[in-house]
Tab-separated table of all heavy atoms in Angstrom:
chain	number	residue	atom	x	y	z
A	123	LEU	N	-95.135	68.476	68.771
A	123	LEU	CA	-95.377	67.613	69.965
A	123	LEU	C	-94.577	68.001	71.217
A	123	LEU	O	-94.981	67.561	72.272
A	123	LEU	CB	-95.117	66.118	69.623
A	123	LEU	CG	-95.758	65.608	68.344
A	123	LEU	CD1	-95.378	64.100	68.127
A	123	LEU	CD2	-97.278	65.762	68.428
A	124	HIS	N	-93.478	68.725	71.006
A	124	HIS	CA	-92.662	69.035	72.130
A	124	HIS	C	-92.271	70.540	72.137
A	124	HIS	O	-91.332	70.982	71.552
A	124	HIS	CB	-91.366	68.245	72.114
A	124	HIS	CG	-90.452	68.339	73.331
A	124	HIS	ND1	-90.223	67.336	74.172
A	124	HIS	CD2	-89.952	69.467	73.942
A	124	HIS	CE1	-89.503	67.739	75.166
A	124	HIS	NE2	-89.348	69.017	75.104
A	125	VAL	N	-93.236	71.343	72.765
A	125	VAL	CA	-92.965	72.801	72.743
A	125	VAL	C	-93.610	73.292	74.059
A	125	VAL	O	-94.732	72.919	74.503
A	125	VAL	CB	-93.673	73.440	71.481
A	125	VAL	CG1	-95.072	73.187	71.346
A	125	VAL	CG2	-93.353	74.960	71.510
A	126	HIS	N	-92.844	74.133	74.790
A	126	HIS	CA	-93.207	74.533	76.150
A	126	HIS	C	-93.941	75.849	76.107
A	126	HIS	O	-93.615	76.744	75.301
A	126	HIS	CB	-91.940	74.692	76.980
A	126	HIS	CG	-91.324	73.369	77.316
A	126	HIS	ND1	-91.475	72.667	78.464
A	126	HIS	CD2	-90.407	72.683	76.584
A	126	HIS	CE1	-90.801	71.547	78.449
A	126	HIS	NE2	-90.140	71.532	77.310
A	127	HIS	N	-94.941	75.964	77.003
A	127	HIS	CA	-95.874	77.107	77.065
A	127	HIS	C	-95.039	78.380	77.327
A	127	HIS	O	-94.955	79.293	76.510
A	127	HIS	CB	-96.837	76.700	78.202
A	127	HIS	CG	-97.866	77.629	78.448
A	127	HIS	ND1	-98.322	78.017	79.793
A	127	HIS	CD2	-98.816	78.317	77.681
A	127	HIS	CE1	-99.249	78.808	79.726
A	127	HIS	NE2	-99.661	79.019	78.505
A	128	VAL	N	-94.439	78.439	78.518
A	128	VAL	CA	-93.752	79.652	78.831
A	128	VAL	C	-92.526	79.801	77.944
A	128	VAL	O	-92.123	80.874	77.519
A	128	VAL	CB	-93.312	79.671	80.296
A	128	VAL	CG1	-92.339	80.808	80.663
A	128	VAL	CG2	-94.546	79.697	81.231
A	129	GLY	N	-91.912	78.705	77.540
A	129	GLY	CA	-90.747	78.751	76.712
A	129	GLY	C	-91.052	79.306	75.316
A	129	GLY	O	-90.118	79.594	74.537
A	130	SER	N	-92.362	79.464	75.036
A	130	SER	CA	-92.784	79.994	73.647
A	130	SER	C	-93.156	81.481	73.719
A	130	SER	O	-93.511	82.047	72.695
A	130	SER	CB	-93.966	79.184	73.121
A	130	SER	OG	-93.544	77.796	72.905
A	131	ALA	N	-92.930	82.071	74.914
A	131	ALA	CA	-93.333	83.467	74.988
A	131	ALA	C	-92.321	84.309	74.152
A	131	ALA	O	-91.101	84.257	74.396
A	131	ALA	CB	-93.174	83.909	76.531
A	132	SER	N	-92.853	84.918	73.111
A	132	SER	CA	-92.033	85.721	72.225
A	132	SER	C	-91.578	86.958	72.917
A	132	SER	O	-92.174	87.455	73.893
A	132	SER	CB	-92.908	86.122	70.942
A	132	SER	OG	-93.837	87.038	71.448
A	133	PRO	N	-90.465	87.637	72.325
A	133	PRO	CA	-89.992	88.920	72.975
A	133	PRO	C	-91.120	89.866	73.076
A	133	PRO	O	-91.181	90.602	74.112
A	133	PRO	CB	-88.978	89.369	71.949
A	133	PRO	CG	-88.482	88.048	71.396
A	133	PRO	CD	-89.639	87.174	71.300
A	134	ARG	N	-92.091	89.858	72.147
A	134	ARG	CA	-93.219	90.875	72.257
A	134	ARG	C	-94.075	90.549	73.471
A	134	ARG	O	-94.460	91.421	74.266
A	134	ARG	CB	-94.052	90.783	71.015
A	134	ARG	CG	-95.229	91.732	70.994
A	134	ARG	CD	-95.946	91.703	69.617
A	134	ARG	NE	-96.423	90.402	69.250
A	134	ARG	CZ	-97.582	89.881	69.721
A	134	ARG	NH1	-98.377	90.615	70.527
A	134	ARG	NH2	-98.033	88.699	69.296
A	135	ILE	N	-94.328	89.246	73.683
A	135	ILE	CA	-95.179	88.803	74.792
A	135	ILE	C	-94.431	88.982	76.171
A	135	ILE	O	-95.003	89.474	77.109
A	135	ILE	CB	-95.581	87.373	74.710
A	135	ILE	CG1	-96.343	87.068	73.345
A	135	ILE	CG2	-96.427	86.858	75.912
A	135	ILE	CD1	-97.541	88.036	73.197
A	136	VAL	N	-93.068	88.679	76.146
A	136	VAL	CA	-92.360	88.895	77.383
A	136	VAL	C	-92.292	90.350	77.711
A	136	VAL	O	-92.501	90.770	78.817
A	136	VAL	CB	-90.917	88.315	77.142
A	136	VAL	CG1	-89.975	88.741	78.307
A	136	VAL	CG2	-91.011	86.822	77.070
A	137	ALA	N	-92.154	91.254	76.698
A	137	ALA	CA	-92.107	92.702	76.899
A	137	ALA	C	-93.505	93.162	77.468
A	137	ALA	O	-93.512	93.875	78.428
A	137	ALA	CB	-91.764	93.454	75.650
A	138	GLU	N	-94.557	92.574	76.964
A	138	GLU	CA	-95.898	93.014	77.414
A	138	GLU	C	-96.037	92.529	78.883
A	138	GLU	O	-96.518	93.287	79.682
A	138	GLU	CB	-96.969	92.245	76.510
A	138	GLU	CG	-98.352	92.167	77.025
A	138	GLU	CD	-99.030	93.588	77.270
A	138	GLU	OE1	-98.652	94.487	76.483
A	138	GLU	OE2	-99.873	93.688	78.203
A	139	LEU	N	-95.598	91.298	79.223
A	139	LEU	CA	-95.709	90.841	80.606
A	139	LEU	C	-94.851	91.633	81.497
A	139	LEU	O	-95.240	92.011	82.607
A	139	LEU	CB	-95.347	89.299	80.621
A	139	LEU	CG	-96.344	88.410	79.963
A	139	LEU	CD1	-95.792	86.989	79.906
A	139	LEU	CD2	-97.640	88.308	80.834
A	140	ALA	N	-93.614	91.944	81.037
A	140	ALA	CA	-92.611	92.686	81.892
A	140	ALA	C	-93.223	94.025	82.194
A	140	ALA	O	-92.988	94.656	83.252
A	140	ALA	CB	-91.289	92.761	81.152
A	141	SER	N	-93.922	94.613	81.152
A	141	SER	CA	-94.422	95.987	81.305
A	141	SER	C	-95.629	95.996	82.287
A	141	SER	O	-95.898	96.933	83.029
A	141	SER	CB	-94.886	96.560	79.945
A	141	SER	OG	-96.069	95.846	79.543
A	142	ARG	N	-96.321	94.857	82.374
A	142	ARG	CA	-97.420	94.713	83.361
A	142	ARG	C	-96.987	94.574	84.822
A	142	ARG	O	-97.710	94.858	85.770
A	142	ARG	CB	-98.290	93.487	83.028
A	142	ARG	CG	-99.083	93.505	81.813
A	142	ARG	CD	-99.946	92.262	81.695
A	142	ARG	NE	-100.738	92.271	80.398
A	142	ARG	CZ	-101.565	91.372	80.056
A	142	ARG	NH1	-101.890	90.312	80.910
A	142	ARG	NH2	-102.248	91.364	78.911
A	143	HIS	N	-95.752	94.028	84.982
A	143	HIS	CA	-95.383	93.670	86.312
A	143	HIS	C	-93.881	94.165	86.533
A	143	HIS	O	-92.929	93.594	86.013
A	143	HIS	CB	-95.370	92.157	86.479
A	143	HIS	CG	-96.687	91.486	86.085
A	143	HIS	ND1	-97.808	91.852	86.706
A	143	HIS	CD2	-96.903	90.554	85.171
A	143	HIS	CE1	-98.827	91.117	86.125
A	143	HIS	NE2	-98.323	90.369	85.253
A	144	GLU	N	-93.855	95.231	87.320
A	144	GLU	CA	-92.561	95.887	87.619
A	144	GLU	C	-91.604	94.925	88.318
A	144	GLU	O	-92.022	93.924	88.932
A	144	GLU	CB	-92.759	97.128	88.504
A	144	GLU	CG	-93.535	98.182	87.689
A	144	GLU	CD	-92.875	98.641	86.411
A	144	GLU	OE1	-91.622	98.923	86.472
A	144	GLU	OE2	-93.514	98.646	85.370
A	145	GLY	N	-90.327	95.314	88.294
A	145	GLY	CA	-89.383	94.678	89.195
A	145	GLY	C	-88.814	93.272	88.658
A	145	GLY	O	-88.202	92.589	89.310
A	146	SER	N	-89.143	92.980	87.376
A	146	SER	CA	-88.653	91.682	86.868
A	146	SER	C	-87.195	91.861	86.319
A	146	SER	O	-86.939	92.900	85.694
A	146	SER	CB	-89.525	91.209	85.698
A	146	SER	OG	-88.852	90.165	84.998
A	147	PRO	N	-86.332	90.909	86.497
A	147	PRO	CA	-84.999	91.010	85.797
A	147	PRO	C	-85.051	90.698	84.386
A	147	PRO	O	-84.010	90.890	83.679
A	147	PRO	CB	-84.160	89.862	86.563
A	147	PRO	CG	-85.179	88.812	86.909
A	147	PRO	CD	-86.463	89.589	87.266
A	148	VAL	N	-86.232	90.322	83.861
A	148	VAL	CA	-86.343	89.986	82.425
A	148	VAL	C	-86.423	91.242	81.600
A	148	VAL	O	-87.317	92.076	81.835
A	148	VAL	CB	-87.592	89.133	82.206
A	148	VAL	CG1	-87.659	88.770	80.730
A	148	VAL	CG2	-87.556	87.837	83.059
A	149	PRO	N	-85.457	91.487	80.753
A	149	PRO	CA	-85.433	92.738	79.919
A	149	PRO	C	-86.742	92.816	79.028
A	149	PRO	O	-87.191	91.711	78.603
A	149	PRO	CB	-84.262	92.651	79.073
A	149	PRO	CG	-83.533	91.412	79.441
A	149	PRO	CD	-84.392	90.540	80.270
A	150	SER	N	-87.342	93.991	78.744
A	150	SER	CA	-88.409	94.112	77.964
A	150	SER	C	-87.964	94.504	76.553
A	150	SER	O	-88.636	94.407	75.519
A	150	SER	CB	-89.481	95.146	78.471
A	150	SER	OG	-88.830	96.322	78.768
A	151	ASP	N	-86.741	94.887	76.441
A	151	ASP	CA	-86.204	95.281	75.074
A	151	ASP	C	-85.707	94.060	74.374
A	151	ASP	O	-84.953	93.310	74.842
A	151	ASP	CB	-84.942	96.207	75.265
A	151	ASP	CG	-84.175	96.353	74.054
A	151	ASP	OD1	-84.705	96.773	73.042
A	151	ASP	OD2	-82.950	95.918	74.093
A	152	PRO	N	-86.276	93.848	73.172
A	152	PRO	CA	-86.061	92.560	72.418
A	152	PRO	C	-84.573	92.245	72.309
A	152	PRO	O	-84.098	91.077	72.412
A	152	PRO	CB	-86.683	92.821	71.070
A	152	PRO	CG	-87.817	93.759	71.388
A	152	PRO	CD	-87.308	94.630	72.451
A	153	ALA	N	-83.763	93.355	71.996
A	153	ALA	CA	-82.294	93.095	71.795
A	153	ALA	C	-81.682	92.586	73.059
A	153	ALA	O	-80.887	91.573	73.123
A	153	ALA	CB	-81.618	94.298	71.305
A	154	ALA	N	-82.039	93.256	74.183
A	154	ALA	CA	-81.510	92.895	75.509
A	154	ALA	C	-81.945	91.478	75.895
A	154	ALA	O	-81.246	90.698	76.491
A	154	ALA	CB	-81.937	93.929	76.622
A	155	LEU	N	-83.229	91.196	75.459
A	155	LEU	CA	-83.781	89.849	75.753
A	155	LEU	C	-82.981	88.775	75.073
A	155	LEU	O	-82.711	87.637	75.640
A	155	LEU	CB	-85.312	89.828	75.337
A	155	LEU	CG	-86.038	88.622	75.820
A	155	LEU	CD1	-86.168	88.503	77.326
A	155	LEU	CD2	-87.443	88.642	75.206
A	156	ALA	N	-82.556	89.041	73.877
A	156	ALA	CA	-81.809	88.014	73.027
A	156	ALA	C	-80.507	87.748	73.802
A	156	ALA	O	-80.118	86.607	73.933
A	156	ALA	CB	-81.494	88.546	71.651
A	157	ASP	N	-79.944	88.775	74.384
A	157	ASP	CA	-78.628	88.533	75.184
A	157	ASP	C	-78.964	87.797	76.461
A	157	ASP	O	-78.284	86.910	76.875
A	157	ASP	CB	-78.043	89.884	75.581
A	157	ASP	CG	-77.483	90.584	74.326
A	157	ASP	OD1	-77.252	89.859	73.289
A	157	ASP	OD2	-77.255	91.846	74.361
A	158	TYR	N	-80.245	88.076	76.986
A	158	TYR	CA	-80.535	87.453	78.257
A	158	TYR	C	-80.810	85.917	78.016
A	158	TYR	O	-80.583	85.157	78.959
A	158	TYR	CB	-81.915	88.109	78.770
A	158	TYR	CG	-82.482	87.703	80.097
A	158	TYR	CD1	-81.781	88.059	81.244
A	158	TYR	CD2	-83.639	86.935	80.158
A	158	TYR	CE1	-82.287	87.644	82.564
A	158	TYR	CE2	-84.099	86.569	81.421
A	158	TYR	CZ	-83.544	86.989	82.565
A	158	TYR	OH	-84.034	86.589	83.814
A	159	PHE	N	-81.242	85.584	76.833
A	159	PHE	CA	-81.494	84.182	76.556
A	159	PHE	C	-80.235	83.483	75.918
A	159	PHE	O	-80.294	82.745	74.897
A	159	PHE	CB	-82.642	84.031	75.536
A	159	PHE	CG	-84.012	84.320	76.037
A	159	PHE	CD1	-85.102	84.683	75.253
A	159	PHE	CD2	-84.265	84.202	77.477
A	159	PHE	CE1	-86.294	84.879	75.767
A	159	PHE	CE2	-85.549	84.419	77.930
A	159	PHE	CZ	-86.581	84.796	77.121
A	160	ALA	N	-79.077	83.793	76.544
A	160	ALA	CA	-77.866	83.120	76.160
A	160	ALA	C	-77.391	82.294	77.368
A	160	ALA	O	-77.225	82.816	78.444
A	160	ALA	CB	-76.735	84.194	75.810
A	161	PHE	N	-77.335	81.026	77.205
A	161	PHE	CA	-77.234	80.102	78.365
A	161	PHE	C	-75.860	79.584	78.548
A	161	PHE	O	-75.313	78.952	77.531
A	161	PHE	CB	-78.267	78.989	78.265
A	161	PHE	CG	-79.691	79.569	77.945
A	161	PHE	CD1	-80.277	79.370	76.780
A	161	PHE	CD2	-80.307	80.424	78.867
A	161	PHE	CE1	-81.524	79.918	76.505
A	161	PHE	CE2	-81.541	80.983	78.629
A	161	PHE	CZ	-82.138	80.689	77.418
A	162	LYS	N	-75.272	79.606	79.651
A	162	LYS	CA	-73.929	78.956	79.957
A	162	LYS	C	-74.029	77.456	79.883
A	162	LYS	O	-73.118	76.766	79.447
A	162	LYS	CB	-73.352	79.482	81.278
A	162	LYS	CG	-73.056	80.935	81.321
A	162	LYS	CD	-72.267	81.297	82.588
A	162	LYS	CE	-72.982	80.997	83.903
A	162	LYS	NZ	-74.117	82.016	84.011
A	163	ASP	N	-75.145	76.970	80.500
A	163	ASP	CA	-75.312	75.522	80.614
A	163	ASP	C	-76.842	75.240	80.893
A	163	ASP	O	-77.621	76.189	80.900
A	163	ASP	CB	-74.429	74.854	81.730
A	163	ASP	CG	-74.704	75.509	83.050
A	163	ASP	OD1	-75.790	76.080	83.263
A	163	ASP	OD2	-73.734	75.574	83.869
A	164	PHE	N	-77.222	73.978	81.039
A	164	PHE	CA	-78.587	73.663	81.156
A	164	PHE	C	-79.137	74.258	82.448
A	164	PHE	O	-80.275	74.781	82.459
A	164	PHE	CB	-78.794	72.152	81.168
A	164	PHE	CG	-80.275	71.757	81.102
A	164	PHE	CD1	-80.948	71.797	79.910
A	164	PHE	CD2	-80.929	71.431	82.295
A	164	PHE	CE1	-82.284	71.521	79.823
A	164	PHE	CE2	-82.338	71.193	82.237
A	164	PHE	CZ	-82.987	71.190	80.976
A	165	LYS	N	-78.400	74.193	83.534
A	165	LYS	CA	-78.938	74.764	84.815
A	165	LYS	C	-79.239	76.221	84.713
A	165	LYS	O	-80.343	76.739	85.089
A	165	LYS	CB	-77.961	74.541	85.928
A	165	LYS	CG	-78.482	74.953	87.295
A	165	LYS	CD	-77.530	74.954	88.458
A	165	LYS	CE	-78.099	75.456	89.681
A	165	LYS	NZ	-78.950	76.681	89.433
A	166	HIS	N	-78.322	76.926	83.966
A	166	HIS	CA	-78.595	78.356	83.781
A	166	HIS	C	-79.741	78.596	82.955
A	166	HIS	O	-80.639	79.455	83.248
A	166	HIS	CB	-77.337	78.956	83.012
A	166	HIS	CG	-77.439	80.362	82.754
A	166	HIS	ND1	-77.011	80.935	81.591
A	166	HIS	CD2	-77.905	81.404	83.513
A	166	HIS	CE1	-77.184	82.297	81.569
A	166	HIS	NE2	-77.731	82.555	82.759
A	167	PHE	N	-80.053	77.716	81.963
A	167	PHE	CA	-81.219	77.833	81.166
A	167	PHE	C	-82.520	77.721	82.032
A	167	PHE	O	-83.424	78.580	81.973
A	167	PHE	CB	-81.277	76.752	80.024
A	167	PHE	CG	-82.649	76.456	79.521
A	167	PHE	CD1	-83.313	77.459	78.680
A	167	PHE	CD2	-83.363	75.298	79.815
A	167	PHE	CE1	-84.567	77.316	78.268
A	167	PHE	CE2	-84.595	75.124	79.319
A	167	PHE	CZ	-85.278	76.064	78.592
A	168	ILE	N	-82.521	76.716	82.929
A	168	ILE	CA	-83.695	76.583	83.801
A	168	ILE	C	-83.886	77.738	84.717
A	168	ILE	O	-84.959	78.228	84.942
A	168	ILE	CB	-83.586	75.263	84.601
A	168	ILE	CG1	-83.576	73.976	83.732
A	168	ILE	CG2	-84.592	75.181	85.742
A	168	ILE	CD1	-84.977	73.747	83.062
A	169	ASP	N	-82.707	78.274	85.212
A	169	ASP	CA	-82.806	79.502	86.132
A	169	ASP	C	-83.442	80.655	85.320
A	169	ASP	O	-84.389	81.307	85.838
A	169	ASP	CB	-81.393	79.883	86.565
A	169	ASP	CG	-80.847	78.825	87.486
A	169	ASP	OD1	-81.592	78.026	88.026
A	169	ASP	OD2	-79.635	78.829	87.711
A	170	ILE	N	-83.037	80.860	84.067
A	170	ILE	CA	-83.610	81.962	83.284
A	170	ILE	C	-85.045	81.700	83.000
A	170	ILE	O	-85.884	82.581	83.074
A	170	ILE	CB	-82.763	82.157	82.003
A	170	ILE	CG1	-81.344	82.602	82.313
A	170	ILE	CG2	-83.496	83.133	81.036
A	170	ILE	CD1	-81.220	83.989	82.910
Side-chain angles (χ1 to χ4, degrees):
L123 307 180
H124 188 118
V125 56
H126 292 264
H127 184 222
V128 172
S130 296
S132 66
R134 179 173 63 82
I135 300 307
V136 170
E138 164 63 27
L139 289 168
S141 69
R142 289 184 182 184
H143 308 303
E144 293 303 310
S146 164
V148 182
S150 52
D151 163 60
L155 190 62
D157 293 340
Y158 186 69
F159 287 158
F161 311 111
K162 293 192 295 292
D163 55 26
F164 188 80
K165 184 186 178 315
H166 179 221
F167 160 68
I168 294 293
D169 293 343
I170 294 294

